Amino acid sequence: MSTTTAPAPVAPLTTQDAELLIDSARRAAEAAGVTVSVTVLDAGGRLLAFRRDDRAVLISGETSTRKAYTALQLDAPTADLVDLVKPDGPFHSLPTALDRPLLFIAGGIPVHRDGRLIGAIGVGGGAPEQDHGFATAALAELAR
């Protein structure tokens, strides 16, 4: 008789973690002179935290949320997915094939703990490369 061991439980993303991610991303954006919106989703894709800078463009709230959702669902940074959905890419129909609001623009990154997916962060408001950098900076702070 074989016995299997269940994987050790991984602590979920907490509201404290989410606030740290938001504050860290906003500090990085502020240092670059950019106003942003930041969204943090839990592992189930539910909103854990959101903040939009007063002067951030309104659409940045929507883009940050869609970037986080896309990163979570595909367990990959949205920056790594951009080429896959271009007209000649293998997943070119994915953005329109699903009901859900995917967005293939850099700025969304999945959040892992102990190798397990526990949520995602999305940043919108700057250039895509900037948003990716702000999200990356936030994850570095969480990992400390």
Side-chain angles (χ1 to χ4, degrees):
M1 189 160 124
S2 86
T3 59
T4 57
T5 346
V10 173
L13 198 60
T14 65
T15 53
Q16 184 177 359
D17 293 333
E19 289 298 326
L20 174 70
L21 286 167
I22 284 178
D23 291 342
S24 299
R26 288 184 67 228
R27 274 195 308 276
E30 189 175 287
V34 178
T35 55
V36 295
S37 291
V38 184
T39 300
V40 178
L41 302 177
D42 69 12
R46 292 171 298 275
L47 183 65
L48 193 56
F50 171 81
R51 191 158 315 132
R52 183 181 69 82
D53 288 332
D54 292 336
R55 297 178 328 272
V57 294
L58 294 178
I59 198 169
S60 67
E62 184 70 21
T63 61
S64 69
T65 301
R66 287 181 180 213
K67 289 175 185 184
Y69 182 79
T70 303
L72 178 71
Q73 292 302 311
L74 298 173
D75 193 9
T78 54
D80 295 351
L81 303 170
V82 174
D83 288 338
L84 299 176
V85 295
K86 288 184 177 175
D88 60 344
F91 300 125
H92 67 90
S93 64
L94 191 59
T96 56
L98 303 174
D99 239 7
R100 301 297 295 201
L102 300 177
L103 186 60
F104 295 90
I105 298 174
I109 302 179
V111 179
H112 294 93
R113 181 173 285 145
D114 298 330
R116 304 257 300 276
L117 181 65
I118 60 167
I121 180 173
V123 180
E129 307 76 42
Q130 289 176 310
D131 291 346
H132 179 78
F134 304 148
T136 300
L139 286 176
E141 284 297 313
L142 182 64
R144 286 179 166 206

